[in-house]
Amino acid sequence: MKLGKKMKVGLVQVNNSFGNQNYLPYSVGLFQAYAQKYLSSPELFEFMLPIYKRVGVKEATRQLLDADIVFFSTYVWNMKISLEIARQLKGTRPEMCTAFGGPHVPNRNVEDFLRANLFVDVACHGDGEETVLSMLENLQERTWQNVPSISYIDGRREVIRTRGSERISDIDRIPSPYLSGVFEPLMAVNQGEEWIALLETNRGCPFSCAYCDWGSATKSKVYSYSIERIRKEIDWFSEHGIDFVFCCDANFGILLRDIEVVEYFARNKGKYGYPKALSVQNTKNVADRTYTIERKMSQCGLNKGVAMALQSINKETLRHIHRANISIGAFQQLQRKLTSDNIETFTDLILGLPCETYESFAHGVATVIESGQHNRIQFNNLSILPNSEMGDPEYQKKYGFRIVETRIINAHGSLTNDDTVFETQQLVVGTNSMPEQDWVRARVLSWITALLYFDKLLQIPFLVLHSCYSVGMRTLLEGFTNVTEAYPHLFRVHQFFRKKAVELQNGGAEFFESEKWLNLCWPGDELIFIELCAEGRLDQFY
């Protein structure tokens, strides 16, 4: 490719901020590192500093206005703002090329996506490194037909989808954005940031959970980076004073060498003080290895709690979401071993899954507690991801999903927000096995359980009644969801939760906005707990 001037490449990966902490934009960093290594004429391209956090659309547009092409990495938390930035960019400079990739670009309905967003020139599917490289090589001529794994509207207004590219199996071919210096200019310009780093030790997922777009996207194969590369990246985190590292692996612990990775993190924390914490998503069926990993992390203070991703204990549900091969017994055994070592765990349950009834859900909540979970159940509302199996309209029809679009607000997020572009999600608020009234009951039970048991208001009395007098946990919990006005404080709490559940079914937000209490968005149980304490109503409650 012969060009008279450098072509400017814009990169956008808008991530959520946590206080003064922001993620380094790992995905677009990979694209830049790969392109700079393998472009036939890399000197003909100038990569602009990436947009890495939520800023005003006008500000983002101003920063990107000189770009010849802009790549957007998208997911549920940044799709709306990415689209708006692209719309305004194309409105000002129609000749600019805009390309969207990431898990939120739909595979099955890409034509609808492109025709609804004509300011998006190219939709990218799957891993992006080879696609970005090929697009840059063909940028001057805009001849996209030989670029792999993309969809676009051609001059005849027809949607063209090119051949899919093979996944990169030797992923060490992909340069590390940390080790290749991609992030150094960004960090130099933003010295006040406290950066969070993302780490991949492998790519792929052998599971195919119906609510997740991971396994379907990676065709089940797991490819690994070399241990030498991983060690060098951990050294980079230590040298740059990175407090927190989030591991992107779908199943950390699936490989024996993952123990060695944790040991290297522990070594560096002891030697340099950084990184201070590591978050991993544990593999599903290797309980002994997961125990070893989490124990080592706990001993050196790297972890703050271990997630037990059960999602449901209903066998029929697990079969229909393709998790029947994941052992509930292994989860429970792991939880008991970690608890005996004073390592805190929390359990994930998803509300609204196929074949889950109110009865099976309530039974599951009680069983998880009776099996030894006394720290936290994290109750998640089922959210539909476009490239998951559940994103298929036929799947939704089969299980009678009632879906509403709700605005995304973060737990403990500030209500003071100048953002004019709000992200949304598709929540399941009823199914043919859990009709809307039953969904409300289950949602209220979740908040009641969190308040009474996991916020400790009645945990000790419940444990005594269960352990010494054989009263079932479900009996105890449901006893507090069937209250009358004869018990005004309990009745008020119940009605508060029920009203919120109905609002959520009608498109309301997941969390409770409170200007009074720190001007934040609170989980329901925490807000009630605050009010009971701060307003001096605990004695009346008891």
Side-chain angles (χ1 to χ4, degrees):
M1 179 172 60
K2 303 294 184 183
L3 298 175
K5 67 178 184 66
K6 283 193 175 186
M7 301 289 277
K8 291 189 175 182
V9 182
L11 301 168
V12 181
Q13 183 185 343
V14 177
N15 292 314
N16 290 326
S17 300
F18 300 90
N20 198 37
Q21 292 184 311
N22 283 286
Y23 285 97
L24 286 162
Y26 180 70
S27 294
V28 295
L30 285 168
F31 302 156
Q32 179 177 339
Y34 192 81
Q36 287 177 328
K37 181 171 182 178
Y38 294 109
L39 276 165
S40 57
S41 301
E43 71 280 0
L44 299 178
F45 294 89
E46 176 187 341
F47 285 85
M48 306 168 72
L49 291 181
I51 305 292
Y52 64 92
K53 64 180 179 180
R54 292 187 84 88
V55 296
V57 172
K58 288 184 178 179
E59 173 60 20
T61 304
R62 183 191 66 78
Q63 291 182 40
L64 294 164
L65 206 53
D66 291 336
D68 295 288
I69 185 170
V70 180
F71 293 99
F72 294 83
S73 176
T74 62
Y75 212 4
V76 64
W77 55 75
N78 67 15
M79 188 57 150
K80 298 286 189 184
I81 193 170
S82 298
L83 287 169
E84 183 58 22
I85 293 170
R87 187 185 70 81
Q88 294 200 18
L89 283 171
K90 291 287 282 188
T92 305
R93 289 193 58 219
E95 72 277 14
M96 179 188 293
C97 180
T98 57
F100 273 60
H104 228 57
V105 172
N107 287 325
R108 61 173 63 89
N109 297 316
V110 69
E111 179 170 356
D112 294 342
F113 171 75
L114 288 170
R115 294 201 185 281
N117 302 289
L118 293 174
F119 47 83
V120 176
D121 293 308
V122 177
C124 307
H125 310 285
D127 291 351
E129 287 85 7
E130 288 284 0
T131 300
V132 168
L133 174 64
S134 185
M135 284 193 67
L136 292 178
E137 294 283 19
N138 290 275
L139 179 58
Q140 186 181 35
E141 294 80 13
R142 304 285 180 100
T143 51
W144 306 132
Q145 62 268 25
N146 293 322
V147 176
S149 300
I150 64 169
S151 299
Y152 62 96
I153 298 176
D154 69 3
R156 296 175 298 173
R157 312 308 298 163
E158 293 181 2
V159 173
I160 305 298
R161 184 156 185 165
T162 64
R163 60 179 174 83
S165 61
E166 293 294 323
R167 290 177 60 211
I168 301 173
S169 57
D170 179 14
I171 56 177
D172 273 326
R173 287 188 61 240
I174 306 169
S176 165
Y178 304 114
L179 306 180
S180 59
V182 163
F183 293 135
E184 303 298 337
L186 179 67
M187 298 174 79
V189 172
N190 297 278
Q191 295 188 21
E193 295 282 18
E194 295 179 19
W195 295 105
I196 302 171
L198 297 167
L199 171 70
E200 279 186 309
T201 77
N202 64 60
R203 283 189 180 184
C205 179
F207 301 97
S208 55
C209 306
Y211 53 80
C212 180
D213 52 21
W214 212 329
S216 61
T218 57
K219 303 181 180 68
S220 297
K221 292 186 181 296
V222 176
Y223 300 124
S224 299
Y225 289 105
S226 68
I227 191 67
E228 292 77 16
R229 172 193 174 117
I230 296 166
R231 286 176 182 153
K232 289 177 182 177
E233 289 192 325
I234 297 171
D235 287 340
W236 190 94
F237 301 149
S238 299
E239 292 163 6
H240 288 76
I242 303 295
D243 277 352
F244 183 78
V245 176
F246 184 91
C247 181
C248 304
D249 299 359
N251 296 277
F252 191 77
I254 198 169
L255 303 175
L256 181 61
R257 67 93 184 263
D258 290 345
I259 296 173
E260 187 178 346
V261 172
V262 167
E263 289 173 341
Y264 202 82
F265 266 102
R267 166 196 173 275
N268 273 29
K269 181 177 181 180
K271 187 175 181 179
Y272 305 109
Y274 297 97
K276 295 181 179 178
L278 169 67
S279 177
V280 301
Q281 300 165 98
N282 293 310
T283 192
K284 279 71 175 175
N285 279 340
V286 193
D288 288 344
R289 193 177 302 153
T290 297
Y291 168 73
T292 300
I293 286 170
E294 291 294 350
R295 190 167 185 271
K296 287 180 180 292
M297 289 175 62
S298 180
Q299 287 172 338
C300 62
L302 277 169
N303 69 352
K304 304 299 180 185
V306 181
M308 313 294 290
L310 273 177
Q311 318 309 2
S312 173
I313 68 164
N314 180 32
K315 291 183 179 179
E316 190 70 5
T317 295
L318 294 174
R319 185 170 69 84
H320 282 263
I321 63 173
H322 313 311
R323 285 177 66 91
N325 61 331
I326 298 172
S327 170
I328 294 175
F331 275 109
Q332 293 172 335
Q333 176 191 4
L334 176 61
Q335 181 178 291
R336 286 191 290 269
K337 290 178 71 174
L338 291 169
T339 301
S340 68
D341 284 347
N342 294 317
I343 300 172
E344 289 192 356
T345 67
F346 63 92
T347 300
D348 283 333
L349 293 179
I350 298 178
L351 175 60
L353 290 171
C355 301
E356 191 86 79
T357 64
Y358 172 81
E359 293 297 317
S360 68
F361 182 79
H363 171 73
V365 172
T367 300
V368 168
I369 294 173
E370 290 171 355
S371 298
Q373 180 53 272
H374 307 303
N375 298 312
R376 174 68 56 178
I377 294 177
Q378 188 164 282
F379 295 102
N380 299 304
N381 299 311
L382 177 58
S383 178
I384 301 297
L385 299 174
N387 293 323
S388 67
E389 185 179 355
M390 288 185 181
D392 186 344
E394 290 302 313
Y395 188 102
Q396 297 165 16
K397 182 179 178 181
K398 177 180 178 180
Y399 295 103
F401 283 1
R402 190 206 155 186
I403 300 172
V404 296
E405 184 173 18
T406 71
R407 180 179 151 197
I408 296 176
I409 59 174
N410 296 319
H412 307 131
S414 174
L415 297 183
T416 304
N417 192 341
D418 297 329
D419 203 343
T420 56
V421 179
F422 300 109
E423 305 299 333
T424 61
Q425 60 186 334
Q426 304 291 317
L427 291 186
V428 175
V429 293
T431 68
N432 55 15
S433 61
M434 188 183 284
E436 292 176 34
Q437 272 194 316
D438 284 353
W439 187 92
V440 168
R441 290 176 65 202
R443 183 65 265 188
V444 171
L445 177 67
S446 302
W447 280 318
I448 289 287
T449 301
L451 174 67
L452 299 184
Y453 199 80
F454 296 113
D455 293 342
K456 317 298 184 185
L457 284 177
L458 290 174
Q459 188 178 83
I460 299 302
F462 277 17
L463 281 170
V464 170
L465 288 167
H466 175 67
S467 301
C468 299
Y469 299 97
S470 300
V471 183
M473 280 293 171
R474 180 175 173 183
T475 299
L476 292 166
L477 292 168
E478 288 187 320
F480 287 84
T481 63
N482 298 309
V483 293
T484 67
E485 292 182 72
Y487 303 93
H489 297 286
L490 286 171
F491 184 75
R492 174 180 170 273
V493 169
H494 180 271
Q495 291 301 103
F496 179 73
F497 288 152
R498 190 181 187 285
K499 179 182 177 183
K500 182 63 176 180
V502 172
E503 286 178 1
L504 189 50
Q505 279 190 329
N506 291 314
E510 285 187 281
F511 299 106
F512 296 69
E513 299 181 1
S514 176
E515 293 182 4
K516 182 177 182 181
W517 303 113
L518 301 182
N519 205 40
L520 297 180
C521 300
W522 293 95
D525 61 298
E526 292 181 11
L527 182 59
I528 291 295
F529 193 14
I530 289 169
E531 290 179 349
L532 289 173
C533 295
E535 295 174 359
R537 294 193 284 116
L538 269 179
D539 287 344
Q540 295 171 314
F541 176 85
Y542 282 123

